[in-house]
Amino acid sequence: MSKGKRKAPVSIGEQIELQIDNLNHQGEGVGRYNGFTIFVPDTAPEDQVIARVISLQKNYARALLVNILKSSPFRVKPLCQHYGACGGCQLQHLDYQQELRCKQNYVEDALKRIARLEIPVQPIIGMANPWQYRNKAQVPVGVEAGIVQAGFYEKRSHKIVNLAGCPIQHPANDETIKIVRQILQEMGFSIYNEGNHTGFVRQIMTRTSFATGEVLLVLVTNGRNFPQADAFVQRVRAKIKNLTGIVQNINTKRGNTILGLEEVTLWGSPYIIEKIGSLQFKVSSRSFFQVNPLQTEKLYAKVKEYAALTGKETVFDLYCGIGTIALYLADQAAKVVGVEIVDAAVEDAYDNARLNKITNAEFYTGAAEVVVPKLLRQGYQADVVIVDPPRKGCDQALLETITSMQPERIVYVSCNPATLARDLKYLNENGYKALEAQPVDMFPQTSHVECVTWIQKKK
Ligand code: SAH
């Protein structure tokens, strides 16, 4: 039978027995049934399972776990009591070393399968303690039978489940959410109701600095007039250690966007100071900042190593966010030039350059695929290009511009191995050669994996 006409060996509703071999990019188990790929969430490599097929595509099917016949030796008891219901983590049921192996395999497989690249993939950089790593938490607030709830939406619903604790959060974020929820309850605050768009308090957001321990509290409200503001500030300040500021963010729009554009500082300063290496960064409620500061430092160190700067180069940092990579490399380059699409992030980047007394950094607002060609026409030339795009990868037009510019090196920071592989394939066919990749685990317990790749101009 020809490949295209091959009929799927399963049908919807059918229960099948399956051995799980690996995980896909969403952290779902992958097994093969008569050679046909089946994805089963909530399973682990080497599980022997019964699964019920719920959907069928040309090349794969999805099935739900019915029963585990033989449990994988890599299964562990999830640390979080909300695991499964919350949806934030996908891999708490896997031993961490096995989680790292799966992420490593996933990166290697994407490079081989999609880019046909046989390059060394260095062993993934994991965390010594893969818990309590997040510096930012944001949770919706609701009310259930008169009790204020602050937590997460139940899967496929908008019912808010009270968070007993989130083991991947910095404990100060957890603590802050619990304290604020209690204060909202005690002070009888009106709580937002999504259904009819009434009520005042919508979300609690907190950011904690791993460097200084400072905590910022942001309360998102449906309206400007904050009743009992002074009393609220006093209570919060009395309860939360290391608090540096309380910010009211006003969001009166319907819908799922968390933060509004208008803010009032109720007390203290509207930002925390975080550090990466010897640099300091101001992080406010709306700034983009990597959520795992410990691993960010390791990621950036790898970027610096692959960039191999001598002090003479002009470096482009494309998709630069608040300019962290550009600023991190600035002392080893003649000049760094960041490009970022979000205006507020570019303002933060300039602020952070000043804060660190860096004078050889420039930042431009706009889409990299539009701004970089303009910079070239103005006579800019990059020796080293760093790209750190969102999940969808680099715009094709940008890759064309970069290859025509002919930098010596490209360092590609990716949060999606599939689009990384697609872009590496293009670069490999257009005068560049990927030499080495380094996965980094920025998001333990979740299915996400980050990867830095060193790419060199072909001689
Ligand atoms: N390098 C930064 C941020 C990476 S996140 C860091 O390490 O913190 C990716 C960034 O790309 C986001 O800040 C996003 O706003 C930005 N972005 C998305 N599309 C873009 C585009 N077409 N051009 C420039 N920046 C873009």
Side-chain angles (χ1 to χ4, degrees):
M1 208 184 323
S2 80
K3 208 176 164 197
K5 284 192 185 142
R6 191 161 174 267
K7 195 172 167 298
V10 294
S11 50
I12 291 180
E14 190 181 339
Q15 294 208 1
I16 52 176
E17 190 181 325
L18 197 66
Q19 148 104 18
I20 302 299
D21 302 320
N22 218 326
L23 298 181
N24 70 7
H25 69 288
Q26 291 174 303
E28 300 168 340
V30 185
R32 298 199 143 254
Y33 186 76
N34 293 340
F36 194 72
T37 303
I38 317 270
F39 297 134
V40 193
D42 309 316
T43 58
E46 296 189 26
D47 269 346
Q48 203 75 40
V49 303
I50 303 276
R52 183 166 42 82
V53 177
I54 54 161
S55 73
L56 196 55
Q57 308 292 330
K58 211 169 100 197
N59 298 321
Y60 64 91
R62 294 174 57 84
L64 294 183
L65 179 63
V66 174
N67 190 14
I68 302 177
L69 299 174
K70 187 166 163 276
S71 186
S72 157
F74 307 117
R75 276 187 178 268
V76 294
K77 190 173 181 296
L79 210 59
C80 179
Q81 71 178 82
H82 304 297
Y83 183 60
C86 158
C89 296
Q90 298 78 36
L91 302 178
Q92 280 196 28
H93 65 287
L94 260 196
D95 169 68
Y96 185 56
Q97 293 311 315
Q98 184 64 22
E99 173 183 336
L100 291 177
R101 273 193 289 278
C102 287
K103 289 179 175 178
Q104 179 88 20
N105 284 346
Y106 179 58
V107 171
E108 288 176 1
D109 184 62
L111 295 183
K112 272 194 204 128
R113 207 168 28 84
I114 302 170
R116 306 253 169 255
L117 274 181
E118 298 277 350
I119 58 169
V121 179
Q122 294 301 318
I124 184 167
I125 301 173
M127 294 190 82
N129 172 21
W131 302 99
Q132 302 188 335
Y133 61 82
R134 280 188 65 99
N135 57 9
K136 176 174 107 170
Q138 51 198 28
V139 295
V141 183
V143 78
E144 187 76 27
I147 306 292
V148 176
Q149 313 279 317
F152 55 90
Y153 291 114
E154 223 171 43
K155 267 188 190 165
R156 289 176 288 278
S157 94
H158 267 202
K159 182 175 182 293
I160 295 165
V161 178
N162 232 347
L163 197 65
C166 175
I168 62 169
Q169 280 293 346
H170 189 295
N173 286 333
D174 249 17
E175 204 43 37
T176 300
I177 289 168
K178 284 187 206 164
I179 290 169
V180 173
R181 177 181 68 206
Q182 187 65 31
I183 292 172
L184 293 173
Q185 174 83 44
E186 286 165 8
M187 292 183 70
F189 267 90
S190 122
I191 304 297
Y192 184 65
N193 178 323
E194 248 191 332
N196 55 22
H197 195 52
T198 60
F200 186 60
V201 181
R202 293 179 77 144
Q203 297 256 350
I204 302 169
M205 173 176 173
T206 79
R207 295 190 104 140
T208 299
S209 164
F210 277 61
T212 63
E214 294 169 329
V215 176
L216 176 70
L217 167 66
V218 182
L219 205 68
V220 184
T221 62
N222 176 29
R224 170 175 258 286
N225 181 28
F226 200 118
Q228 316 178 70
D230 290 345
F232 176 77
V233 166
Q234 266 180 24
R235 284 205 192 200
V236 170
R237 285 185 61 194
K239 285 269 171 77
I240 298 174
K241 284 193 280 257
N242 300 328
L243 191 73
T244 62
I246 306 177
V247 168
Q248 176 192 6
N249 177 287
I250 300 155
N251 181 3
T252 55
K253 294 211 173 101
R254 281 178 187 270
N256 293 334
T257 305
I258 294 172
L259 295 177
L261 296 177
E262 200 186 340
E263 289 195 336
V264 179
T265 303
L266 298 176
W267 172 80
S269 81
Y271 56 83
I272 53 169
I273 296 286
E274 185 56 280
K275 290 187 188 146
I276 298 175
S278 58
L279 298 181
Q280 302 194 351
F281 294 95
K282 270 189 191 176
V283 184
S284 61
S285 67
R286 280 178 294 159
S287 312
F288 173 88
F289 197 80
Q290 296 277 357
V291 296
N292 185 336
L294 291 174
Q295 291 299 88
T296 298
E297 192 150 351
K298 295 179 193 162
L299 181 79
Y300 288 2
K302 204 70 204 178
V303 172
K304 192 177 248 181
E305 183 192 319
Y306 284 164
L309 300 173
T310 65
K312 298 196 190 104
E313 296 84 356
T314 297
V315 179
F316 280 9
D317 175 12
L318 309 180
Y319 308 86
C320 73
I322 59 166
T324 35
I325 294 178
L327 297 174
Y328 187 80
L329 299 178
D331 69 340
Q332 299 195 350
K335 180 154 83 178
V336 291
V337 179
V339 180
E340 161 62 43
I341 204 162
V342 175
D343 196 20
V346 170
E347 280 172 35
D348 282 351
Y350 271 117
D351 262 2
N352 287 320
R354 272 191 293 276
L355 183 67
N356 292 287
K357 303 194 168 49
I358 291 171
T359 53
N360 60 340
E362 297 170 12
F363 297 96
Y364 295 93
T365 307
E369 59 274 20
V370 176
V371 173
V372 177
K374 278 190 198 153
L375 291 176
L376 294 192
R377 284 198 292 279
Q378 289 168 20
Y380 281 77
Q381 177 64 36
D383 305 296
V384 177
V385 173
I386 318 288
V387 295
D388 185 3
R391 289 190 63 76
K392 68 176 186 202
C394 290
D395 193 281
Q396 167 87 19
L398 177 67
L399 293 177
E400 285 166 17
T401 307
I402 292 174
T403 50
S404 72
M405 182 165 69
Q406 300 269 301
E408 250 340 281
R409 280 167 186 251
I410 303 169
V411 181
Y412 194 133
V413 184
S414 160
C415 57
N416 183 348
T419 54
L420 167 68
R422 178 201 68 198
D423 292 349
L424 289 181
K425 184 164 185 285
Y426 177 87
L427 291 170
N428 258 31
E429 288 162 359
N430 289 277
Y432 283 80
K433 192 169 164 37
L435 294 180
E436 186 178 296
Q438 172 67 67
V440 181
D441 191 18
M442 301 287 283
F443 311 100
Q445 318 304 333
T446 80
S447 55
H448 299 283
V449 58
E450 199 89 6
C451 187
V452 194
T453 307
W454 164 25
I455 304 150
Q456 195 78 30
K457 188 163 85 177
K458 281 183 192 157
K459 292 271 178 285

